[in-house]
Amino acid sequence: MSLPASDTVARRAVQRAGFRLEGVRREAVADADGSFGDVVLYARLASDLVYGPGGFTGVMNSVLPRKRLIAHALITDPWDRVCLLETTFKPDWELPGGIVNPAESPWAGAVREIDEELSLDVGVGRVLVVDWLAPYLGWEDAVELIFDGGVLTQDQIDAIVPDPGEIRAVHWLAPDKAADKMAPFARGRMLAAVACRVGGGTQYLERGLPRRD
């Protein structure tokens, strides 16, 4: 079933009937003024709950906003140098980690990404930084967590095998030198993570900067 996104009355009606929002076709219908509007797509399986708490939450889960969650890790070597990854798909360098999968915990996502990017089977510790990322380069906004990935031994560093499809090179740099290779917002949260590891606590940031009311 498809409805104009602007028809809020009809959309509420189909949602009350248990239909889930499946997607959006952008600028797919002409409005009376000659502009184009979005069309929203709804569907309902025979097995979908319609009434009661399960039906309500199922519909709400499909229509409420969802925010990307990203998990990175601050990993250092015995000389306090930060592990930075030079990727094949963007010019700025980044901490190990990436986007958390649906139904995956942030901790598990960080561990998985480290394994996929570096072939390292290591855990992560406490959260050092929580950062809100504003929309950027076509991405919608997101929340990023930086976990404490610990200090690797020389044997662990020697065992690193970068994913050839994503990682061009692995670099170990002092925090101030690492900052020069990162996007401004990523630089801020990396430096904050270093400070929180030394001083304790967890810092909340927005766009890589401390929030100031």
Side-chain angles (χ1 to χ4, degrees), residues 69-75 85 95-101 103-129 143-150:
L69 181 59
I70 303 168
H72 281 102
L74 174 68
I75 296 174
L85 304 185
L95 297 172
I99 297 173
V100 178
N101 289 331
E104 180 181 50
S105 80
W107 188 95
V111 171
R112 173 185 53 77
E113 286 283 346
I114 293 169
D115 183 37
E116 291 177 355
E117 293 176 336
L118 302 175
S119 295
L120 278 179
D121 183 13
V122 296
V124 294
R126 65 185 180 88
V127 174
L128 300 171
V129 168
V143 172
E144 174 162 339
L145 306 180
I146 298 183
F147 290 89
D148 189 342

Side-chain angles (χ1 to χ4, degrees), residues 4 15 18 34 70-71 74 76 103-104 114 130 134 136 140 146 148 165 172 176 179 186 189-190 197 199:
Q15 288 165 197
I70 303 168
L74 174 68
T76 57
E104 180 181 50
I114 293 169
V130 179
Y136 177 70
E140 295 179 348
I146 298 183
D148 189 342
W172 299 89
D176 59 334
R189 57 178 174 260
M190 181 274 294
R197 178 194 274 184

Side-chain angles (χ1 to χ4, degrees), residues 1 10-20 43-44 48-51 55 59:
M1 173 187 302
R11 293 182 62 183
R12 289 195 189 99
V14 298
Q15 288 165 197
R16 289 194 200 98
F19 284 80
R20 270 65 162 170
R44 191 180 80 189
D48 286 340
L49 294 175
V50 177
Y51 303 108
V59 171

